[in-house]
């Protein structure tokens, strides 16, 4: 019976690992493109590009500290649900901004 337990654990963890991998991949895909867009496309200085890239790491650090305390005090499930809600709201805001920008370009 003990031989089946590691396989069972891996098969249960595989979907979670896949979702986490895809989430980090999606987040990481924008990092090489965003500085080029800000510098070349928008014409902003390299200092602003540095602030943009640094702000992503600062936001990551701050949110991880907050999420750790949140998970310790209210539980992991509550922290995950809160994170999913915040991520969904951020996605909606991004979609709204892209849709409104596209409607101004293409009437």
């Amino acid at each position: 019976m003990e031989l089946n337990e590691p396989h069972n654990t891996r098969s249960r963890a595989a979907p979670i690992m896949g979702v986490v991998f895809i989430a980090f991949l999606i987040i990481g895909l924008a990092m090489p493109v965003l500085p080029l867009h800000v510098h070349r496309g928008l014409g902003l200085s390299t200092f602003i590009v540095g602030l943009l890239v640094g702000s992503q790491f600062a936001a990551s650090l701050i949110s991880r500290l907050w999420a750790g305390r949140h998970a310790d005090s209210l539980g992991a499930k509550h922290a995950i649900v809160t994170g999913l809600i915040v991520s969904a709201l951020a996605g909606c805001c991004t979609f709204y901004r892209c849709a409104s920008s596209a409607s101004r370009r293409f009437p």
Side-chain angles (χ1 to χ4, degrees), residues 4 19 21 25 30 36 39 42-43 47 54 62 65 68 75 78-79 87 93:
N4 291 334
V19 168
F21 174 76
L25 181 67
L36 292 174
H39 185 60
L42 300 177
F47 178 75
I62 292 168
L65 291 172
H78 193 272
S87 295
C93 290

Side-chain angles (χ1 to χ4, degrees), residues 17 21 23 39 43 46 49 82 92 97 101:
M17 291 169 40
F21 174 76
H39 185 60
T46 55
V49 172
T82 303
C92 290
R97 177 69 180 123
S101 176

Side-chain angles (χ1 to χ4, degrees), residues 10-63:
R10 280 188 219 130
S11 66
R12 288 187 351 205
I16 296 169
M17 291 169 40
V19 168
V20 170
F21 174 76
I22 291 170
F24 276 104
L25 181 67
I26 290 170
I27 292 167
L29 284 175
M31 286 310 293
V33 179
L34 194 57
L36 292 174
H37 172 68
V38 170
H39 185 60
R40 292 182 184 162
L42 300 177
L44 297 174
S45 70
T46 55
F47 178 75
I48 300 297
V49 172
L51 286 177
L52 174 76
V53 173
S55 67
Q56 190 268 342
F57 293 112
S60 176
L61 179 66
I62 292 168
S63 66

